[in-house]
Amino acid sequence: MFKKVKTDYMNWFFLIGLAVLLLEVLFFNGGLIAAIVIAIGCIYYGRKWSGRTMGKALLWFGWIWLVITILNMMTFKYFLIAIILYFIIEYYQSKKNPNYIKPEIIEVEHSESSEPLIKRRSIFENKFFSNQKTPDHVYEWNDVNIQVGVGNTIVDLSNTVLPKEEAVISIRHFIGNVQILVPYEVGVTVNHSVLIGSAKIFQQSESKLVNEAIIFQTPDYEESGHKVKIITSMLTGDLEVKRL
């Protein structure tokens, strides 16, 4: 019960924070989004051109601009005050109702049906700023499930062996492009959601997508010996799925 109450408090905490952010953007600081986008853009191109002097300058400028913008946000001040109040209340509650720790013996039941788990290596990693691509050499397939802040992701399925059952590619992007290269004999279904961007899936092109979700599937998908389910979502960017 206590955990549920704490979860409810946290939900209200974030909902109020979201309301404060909307109020700040709509009524008090209309240029906030533009400032954050400019800062992220400078960081992105700074990393892209990191070998040049201009790239390093853009990178530092972007980070400094982003930190200053966040520190000046009314929403940041709200979260800072809320966190301080939360710890004060927690400290007061701990003094008023201290937790008594009593030893508890738990007998572990060994079941013959229990199975060991094998940890497998992921092809990609979750990163805030990065361009990622599958290896150019032959690699072992594992389903893809990642989220990326800013960057581009390329998945080439020609250098791996897909399982007989359905393979899954799930990619969530904030800003960036996704390209997926699929062999001709593989069945494909695509479920794509984007706020602003475009999509090209084989010969089907959707050049202007604004807050839309689209689904495409090859006719022989269900009967295909090898098939891949592609699920992508992004704030802004382009999706390309093509044969090779």
Side-chain angles (χ1 to χ4, degrees), residues 116-125 139-145 160-163 165-166:
L117 294 175
I118 300 174
K119 185 176 182 179
R120 305 185 66 178
R121 182 178 177 84
S122 177
I123 302 172
F124 296 105
E125 296 179 358
Y139 63 93
E140 181 184 4
W141 174 256
N142 283 317
D143 286 346
V144 176
N145 181 19
T160 190
V161 178
L162 295 175
E165 63 272 11
E166 187 177 64

mmCIF file of all heavy atoms in Angstrom, residues 116-125 139-145 160-163 165-166:
data_model
loop_
_atom_site.group_PDB
_atom_site.id
_atom_site.type_symbol
_atom_site.label_atom_id
_atom_site.label_comp_id
_atom_site.label_asym_id
_atom_site.label_seq_id
_atom_site.Cartn_x
_atom_site.Cartn_y
_atom_site.Cartn_z
ATOM 1 N N PRO A 116 18.528 -22.399 -16.438
ATOM 2 C CA PRO A 116 19.544 -21.336 -16.412
ATOM 3 C C PRO A 116 19.291 -20.341 -17.543
ATOM 4 O O PRO A 116 18.690 -20.676 -18.560
ATOM 5 C CB PRO A 116 20.856 -22.093 -16.618
ATOM 6 C CG PRO A 116 20.453 -23.331 -17.357
ATOM 7 C CD PRO A 116 19.085 -23.689 -16.845
ATOM 8 N N LEU A 117 19.740 -19.106 -17.343
ATOM 9 C CA LEU A 117 19.597 -18.073 -18.351
ATOM 10 C C LEU A 117 20.940 -17.790 -19.006
ATOM 11 O O LEU A 117 21.984 -17.811 -18.351
ATOM 12 C CB LEU A 117 19.050 -16.781 -17.726
ATOM 13 C CG LEU A 117 17.622 -16.844 -17.184
ATOM 14 C CD1 LEU A 117 17.269 -15.530 -16.501
ATOM 15 C CD2 LEU A 117 16.633 -17.134 -18.303
ATOM 16 N N ILE A 118 20.891 -17.519 -20.291
ATOM 17 C CA ILE A 118 22.102 -17.190 -21.043
ATOM 18 C C ILE A 118 22.025 -15.726 -21.462
ATOM 19 O O ILE A 118 21.071 -15.316 -22.121
ATOM 20 C CB ILE A 118 22.243 -18.083 -22.288
ATOM 21 C CG1 ILE A 118 22.320 -19.556 -21.879
ATOM 22 C CG2 ILE A 118 23.479 -17.686 -23.096
ATOM 23 C CD1 ILE A 118 22.311 -20.509 -23.046
ATOM 24 N N LYS A 119 22.995 -14.939 -21.045
ATOM 25 C CA LYS A 119 23.018 -13.527 -21.435
ATOM 26 C C LYS A 119 23.662 -13.395 -22.798
ATOM 27 O O LYS A 119 24.778 -13.852 -23.032
ATOM 28 C CB LYS A 119 23.810 -12.705 -20.403
ATOM 29 C CG LYS A 119 23.772 -11.214 -20.669
ATOM 30 C CD LYS A 119 24.476 -10.440 -19.570
ATOM 31 C CE LYS A 119 24.388 -8.939 -19.820
ATOM 32 N NZ LYS A 119 25.056 -8.160 -18.750
ATOM 33 N N ARG A 120 22.942 -12.756 -23.718
ATOM 34 C CA ARG A 120 23.429 -12.609 -25.082
ATOM 35 C C ARG A 120 23.786 -11.147 -25.349
ATOM 36 O O ARG A 120 23.204 -10.235 -24.781
ATOM 37 C CB ARG A 120 22.378 -13.099 -26.081
ATOM 38 C CG ARG A 120 21.927 -14.535 -25.816
ATOM 39 C CD ARG A 120 20.980 -15.033 -26.871
ATOM 40 N NE ARG A 120 21.617 -15.150 -28.162
ATOM 41 C CZ ARG A 120 20.995 -15.600 -29.250
ATOM 42 N NH1 ARG A 120 19.725 -15.948 -29.189
ATOM 43 N NH2 ARG A 120 21.627 -15.690 -30.410
ATOM 44 N N ARG A 121 24.716 -10.943 -26.247
ATOM 45 C CA ARG A 121 25.205 -9.603 -26.560
ATOM 46 C C ARG A 121 24.285 -8.921 -27.570
ATOM 47 O O ARG A 121 23.914 -9.515 -28.573
ATOM 48 C CB ARG A 121 26.629 -9.684 -27.114
ATOM 49 C CG ARG A 121 27.244 -8.329 -27.429
ATOM 50 C CD ARG A 121 28.669 -8.487 -27.927
ATOM 51 N NE ARG A 121 29.250 -7.208 -28.293
ATOM 52 C CZ ARG A 121 29.825 -6.376 -27.447
ATOM 53 N NH1 ARG A 121 29.888 -6.711 -26.176
ATOM 54 N NH2 ARG A 121 30.330 -5.231 -27.841
ATOM 55 N N SER A 122 23.946 -7.678 -27.292
ATOM 56 C CA SER A 122 23.098 -6.907 -28.202
ATOM 57 C C SER A 122 23.929 -6.357 -29.358
ATOM 58 O O SER A 122 25.120 -6.047 -29.197
ATOM 59 C CB SER A 122 22.431 -5.759 -27.449
ATOM 60 O OG SER A 122 21.673 -4.959 -28.324
ATOM 61 N N ILE A 123 23.305 -6.234 -30.532
ATOM 62 C CA ILE A 123 24.002 -5.706 -31.700
ATOM 63 C C ILE A 123 24.265 -4.217 -31.532
ATOM 64 O O ILE A 123 25.333 -3.711 -31.862
ATOM 65 C CB ILE A 123 23.176 -5.961 -32.979
ATOM 66 C CG1 ILE A 123 22.916 -7.463 -33.150
ATOM 67 C CG2 ILE A 123 23.884 -5.407 -34.206
ATOM 68 C CD1 ILE A 123 21.953 -7.789 -34.268
ATOM 69 N N PHE A 124 23.272 -3.489 -31.000
ATOM 70 C CA PHE A 124 23.391 -2.049 -30.794
ATOM 71 C C PHE A 124 23.308 -1.725 -29.307
ATOM 72 O O PHE A 124 22.969 -2.567 -28.494
ATOM 73 C CB PHE A 124 22.281 -1.301 -31.538
ATOM 74 C CG PHE A 124 22.341 -1.446 -33.035
ATOM 75 C CD1 PHE A 124 21.447 -2.260 -33.707
ATOM 76 C CD2 PHE A 124 23.276 -0.753 -33.775
ATOM 77 C CE1 PHE A 124 21.493 -2.393 -35.078
ATOM 78 C CE2 PHE A 124 23.332 -0.875 -35.139
ATOM 79 C CZ PHE A 124 22.439 -1.699 -35.798
ATOM 80 N N GLU A 125 23.575 -0.456 -28.989
ATOM 81 C CA GLU A 125 23.471 0.022 -27.616
ATOM 82 C C GLU A 125 22.583 1.265 -27.571
ATOM 83 O O GLU A 125 22.446 1.979 -28.571
ATOM 84 C CB GLU A 125 24.859 0.375 -27.066
ATOM 85 C CG GLU A 125 25.808 -0.808 -26.968
ATOM 86 C CD GLU A 125 27.168 -0.394 -26.445
ATOM 87 O OE1 GLU A 125 27.370 0.816 -26.208
ATOM 88 O OE2 GLU A 125 28.021 -1.268 -26.271
ATOM 89 N N TYR A 139 27.792 -11.550 -38.844
ATOM 90 C CA TYR A 139 27.553 -11.435 -37.407
ATOM 91 C C TYR A 139 26.340 -12.279 -37.003
ATOM 92 O O TYR A 139 25.492 -12.612 -37.841
ATOM 93 C CB TYR A 139 27.332 -9.974 -37.002
ATOM 94 C CG TYR A 139 26.119 -9.324 -37.619
ATOM 95 C CD1 TYR A 139 24.885 -9.314 -36.960
ATOM 96 C CD2 TYR A 139 26.200 -8.704 -38.862
ATOM 97 C CE1 TYR A 139 23.771 -8.707 -37.514
ATOM 98 C CE2 TYR A 139 25.086 -8.090 -39.433
ATOM 99 C CZ TYR A 139 23.880 -8.101 -38.759
ATOM 100 O OH TYR A 139 22.778 -7.504 -39.324
ATOM 101 N N GLU A 140 26.284 -12.632 -35.720
ATOM 102 C CA GLU A 140 25.174 -13.431 -35.196
ATOM 103 C C GLU A 140 23.976 -12.531 -34.929
ATOM 104 O O GLU A 140 24.107 -11.470 -34.324
ATOM 105 C CB GLU A 140 25.586 -14.129 -33.907
ATOM 106 C CG GLU A 140 24.482 -15.004 -33.309
ATOM 107 C CD GLU A 140 24.885 -15.622 -31.980
ATOM 108 O OE1 GLU A 140 25.994 -15.299 -31.501
ATOM 109 O OE2 GLU A 140 24.098 -16.403 -31.425
ATOM 110 N N TRP A 141 22.810 -12.969 -35.387
ATOM 111 C CA TRP A 141 21.615 -12.150 -35.226
ATOM 112 C C TRP A 141 21.032 -12.230 -33.820
ATOM 113 O O TRP A 141 20.913 -13.310 -33.241
ATOM 114 C CB TRP A 141 20.531 -12.559 -36.217
ATOM 115 C CG TRP A 141 19.248 -11.829 -35.971
ATOM 116 C CD1 TRP A 141 18.113 -12.287 -35.391
ATOM 117 C CD2 TRP A 141 18.996 -10.451 -36.276
ATOM 118 N NE1 TRP A 141 17.167 -11.308 -35.309
ATOM 119 C CE2 TRP A 141 17.674 -10.157 -35.841
ATOM 120 C CE3 TRP A 141 19.744 -9.427 -36.860
ATOM 121 C CZ2 TRP A 141 17.103 -8.901 -35.989
ATOM 122 C CZ3 TRP A 141 19.181 -8.177 -37.008
ATOM 123 C CH2 TRP A 141 17.868 -7.932 -36.574
ATOM 124 N N ASN A 142 20.690 -11.078 -33.254
ATOM 125 C CA ASN A 142 19.878 -10.958 -32.048
ATOM 126 C C ASN A 142 18.854 -9.865 -32.308
ATOM 127 O O ASN A 142 19.167 -8.856 -32.950
ATOM 128 C CB ASN A 142 20.732 -10.573 -30.828
ATOM 129 C CG ASN A 142 21.511 -11.760 -30.294
ATOM 130 O OD1 ASN A 142 20.975 -12.860 -30.183
ATOM 131 N ND2 ASN A 142 22.787 -11.545 -29.986
ATOM 132 N N ASP A 143 17.641 -10.045 -31.832
ATOM 133 C CA ASP A 143 16.614 -9.030 -32.045
ATOM 134 C C ASP A 143 17.093 -7.675 -31.537
ATOM 135 O O ASP A 143 17.776 -7.576 -30.520
ATOM 136 C CB ASP A 143 15.314 -9.415 -31.338
ATOM 137 C CG ASP A 143 14.582 -10.539 -32.057
ATOM 138 O OD1 ASP A 143 14.937 -10.833 -33.221
ATOM 139 O OD2 ASP A 143 13.656 -11.130 -31.475
ATOM 140 N N VAL A 144 16.702 -6.618 -32.257
ATOM 141 C CA VAL A 144 17.131 -5.257 -31.936
ATOM 142 C C VAL A 144 16.037 -4.538 -31.159
ATOM 143 O O VAL A 144 14.873 -4.515 -31.578
ATOM 144 C CB VAL A 144 17.470 -4.474 -33.221
ATOM 145 C CG1 VAL A 144 17.826 -3.022 -32.897
ATOM 146 C CG2 VAL A 144 18.602 -5.152 -33.977
ATOM 147 N N ASN A 145 16.406 -3.945 -30.033
ATOM 148 C CA ASN A 145 15.467 -3.158 -29.224
ATOM 149 C C ASN A 145 16.262 -2.034 -28.572
ATOM 150 O O ASN A 145 16.856 -2.210 -27.511
ATOM 151 C CB ASN A 145 14.788 -4.030 -28.172
ATOM 152 C CG ASN A 145 13.786 -3.243 -27.337
ATOM 153 O OD1 ASN A 145 13.342 -2.170 -27.729
ATOM 154 N ND2 ASN A 145 13.436 -3.774 -26.183
ATOM 155 N N THR A 160 23.913 -11.526 -41.976
ATOM 156 C CA THR A 160 23.523 -12.383 -40.857
ATOM 157 C C THR A 160 22.518 -13.418 -41.335
ATOM 158 O O THR A 160 21.995 -13.336 -42.456
ATOM 159 C CB THR A 160 22.913 -11.540 -39.717
ATOM 160 O OG1 THR A 160 22.754 -12.361 -38.564
ATOM 161 C CG2 THR A 160 21.577 -10.948 -40.115
ATOM 162 N N VAL A 161 22.256 -14.391 -40.488
ATOM 163 C CA VAL A 161 21.259 -15.421 -40.785
ATOM 164 C C VAL A 161 20.082 -15.203 -39.851
ATOM 165 O O VAL A 161 20.223 -15.324 -38.624
ATOM 166 C CB VAL A 161 21.842 -16.840 -40.597
ATOM 167 C CG1 VAL A 161 20.759 -17.885 -40.860
ATOM 168 C CG2 VAL A 161 23.026 -17.057 -41.528
ATOM 169 N N LEU A 162 18.928 -14.876 -40.415
ATOM 170 C CA LEU A 162 17.741 -14.638 -39.604
ATOM 171 C C LEU A 162 17.141 -15.943 -39.121
ATOM 172 O O LEU A 162 17.272 -16.973 -39.792
ATOM 173 C CB LEU A 162 16.700 -13.850 -40.417
ATOM 174 C CG LEU A 162 17.105 -12.434 -40.828
ATOM 175 C CD1 LEU A 162 16.029 -11.820 -41.718
ATOM 176 C CD2 LEU A 162 17.347 -11.564 -39.613
ATOM 177 N N PRO A 163 16.481 -15.945 -37.980
ATOM 178 C CA PRO A 163 15.862 -17.176 -37.470
ATOM 179 C C PRO A 163 14.682 -17.597 -38.340
ATOM 180 O O PRO A 163 14.129 -16.805 -39.113
ATOM 181 C CB PRO A 163 15.398 -16.767 -36.067
ATOM 182 C CG PRO A 163 15.198 -15.296 -36.147
ATOM 183 C CD PRO A 163 16.248 -14.798 -37.088
ATOM 184 N N GLU A 165 11.752 -18.318 -37.250
ATOM 185 C CA GLU A 165 10.579 -17.583 -36.800
ATOM 186 C C GLU A 165 10.766 -16.100 -37.114
ATOM 187 O O GLU A 165 11.662 -15.719 -37.848
ATOM 188 C CB GLU A 165 10.326 -17.798 -35.307
ATOM 189 C CG GLU A 165 11.418 -17.285 -34.388
ATOM 190 C CD GLU A 165 12.503 -18.309 -34.154
ATOM 191 O OE1 GLU A 165 12.519 -19.335 -34.864
ATOM 192 O OE2 GLU A 165 13.345 -18.059 -33.280
ATOM 193 N N GLU A 166 9.949 -15.273 -36.522
ATOM 194 C CA GLU A 166 9.949 -13.841 -36.800
ATOM 195 C C GLU A 166 11.098 -13.131 -36.089
ATOM 196 O O GLU A 166 11.298 -13.287 -34.889
ATOM 197 C CB GLU A 166 8.610 -13.250 -36.357
ATOM 198 C CG GLU A 166 8.387 -11.811 -36.717
ATOM 199 C CD GLU A 166 7.000 -11.351 -36.301
ATOM 200 O OE1 GLU A 166 6.727 -11.337 -35.080
ATOM 201 O OE2 GLU A 166 6.194 -11.026 -37.179
#
